[in-house]
């Protein structure tokens, strides 16, 4: 088993179409392609899921058990509100890296709190689409330590 789940939450399907000054001009499809390429270099595969619905994100996390060795998640605005997503990540015990395109700590106060952070290996934010690739590298290093 060497598949990584790349999970994107609400409104991230709009990437590259609106608010490029905040979220960049890269589309989600471009980010997913870049993740696939980087994963291949690291000898992993990826499965990409995007949903605007909290329950669907939770279902994808539950279904990750036995299918995925790691999770990279940008939970979008649910990051700041969803105890249910936090509980789902904690329950599956799969190494998870949190990603945000923008630097959530340099934005409005309500974005500073993340419910995903306490159940993640770490958080990468503020580097745009590159953050997903950094997360992939971090996950691969973590997984290789477990394999040693
Ligand atoms: O910086 C990030 O990646 C965020 O997770 C993006 C979320 C925001 O609520 C978080 O605080 C930080 C918002 C995603 C909205 O994406 C859009 C993309 C294009 C146009 C409009 C929204």
């Amino acid at each position: 088993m060497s598949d990584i789940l790349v999970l994107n939450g609400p409104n991230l399907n709009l990437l590259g179409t609106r608010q490029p000054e905040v979220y960049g001009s890269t589309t989600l499809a471009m980010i997913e392609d870049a993740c696939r390429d980087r994963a291949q270099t690291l000898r992993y595969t990826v499965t990409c899921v995007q949903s605007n619905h909290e329950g669907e994100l939770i279902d994808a996390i539950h279904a990750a058990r036995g299918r995925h060795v790691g999770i990279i998640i940008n939970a979008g605005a649910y990051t700041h509100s969803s105890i249910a997503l936090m509980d789902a990540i904690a329950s599956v015990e799969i190494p998870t890296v949190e990603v945000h395109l923008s630097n959530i700590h340099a934005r409005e106060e309500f974005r500073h709190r993340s419910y995903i952070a306490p159940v993640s290996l770490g958080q990468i934010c503020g580097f745009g689409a590159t953050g997903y690739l950094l997360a992939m590298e971090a996950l691969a290093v973590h997984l290789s330590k477990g394999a040693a």
Side-chain angles (χ1 to χ4, degrees):
M1 188 171 67
S2 58
D3 198 75
I4 293 169
L5 176 63
V6 178
L7 196 52
N8 280 286
N11 297 310
L12 289 159
N13 53 312
L14 300 177
L15 281 178
T17 63
R18 290 174 219 160
Q19 289 184 261
E21 68 288 358
V22 184
Y23 298 117
S25 53
T26 310
T27 64
L28 184 58
M30 289 159 77
I31 290 173
E32 290 175 345
D33 282 347
C35 285
R36 272 185 210 101
D37 285 352
R38 184 60 56 96
Q40 199 174 13
T41 309
L42 296 166
R43 296 176 189 275
Y44 288 94
T45 54
V46 293
T47 300
C48 300
V49 173
Q50 188 276 330
S51 176
N52 294 319
H53 305 278
E54 190 176 19
E56 285 183 5
L57 295 167
I58 291 166
D59 287 345
I61 292 164
H62 289 174
R65 283 190 87 166
R67 282 192 204 174
H68 305 289
V69 289
I71 299 173
I72 294 171
I73 182 167
N74 183 348
Y78 287 142
T79 303
H80 319 298
S81 65
S82 181
I83 296 168
L85 270 178
M86 176 178 77
D87 287 346
I89 294 167
S91 75
V92 294
E93 297 180 329
I94 297 172
T96 296
V97 180
E98 177 184 10
V99 173
H100 297 285
L101 296 152
S102 62
N103 180 356
I104 56 173
H105 303 288
R107 299 183 65 192
E108 304 96 318
E109 187 123 12
F110 67 84
R111 293 187 205 274
H112 297 182
R113 172 165 206 174
S114 168
Y115 284 97
I116 309 300
V119 290
S120 297
L121 294 173
Q123 181 191 72
I124 297 170
C125 70
F127 296 102
T130 306
Y132 288 82
L133 307 182
L134 296 173
M136 191 84 69
E137 301 273 351
L139 202 48
V141 169
H142 175 83
L143 293 170
S144 72
K145 282 182 186 157

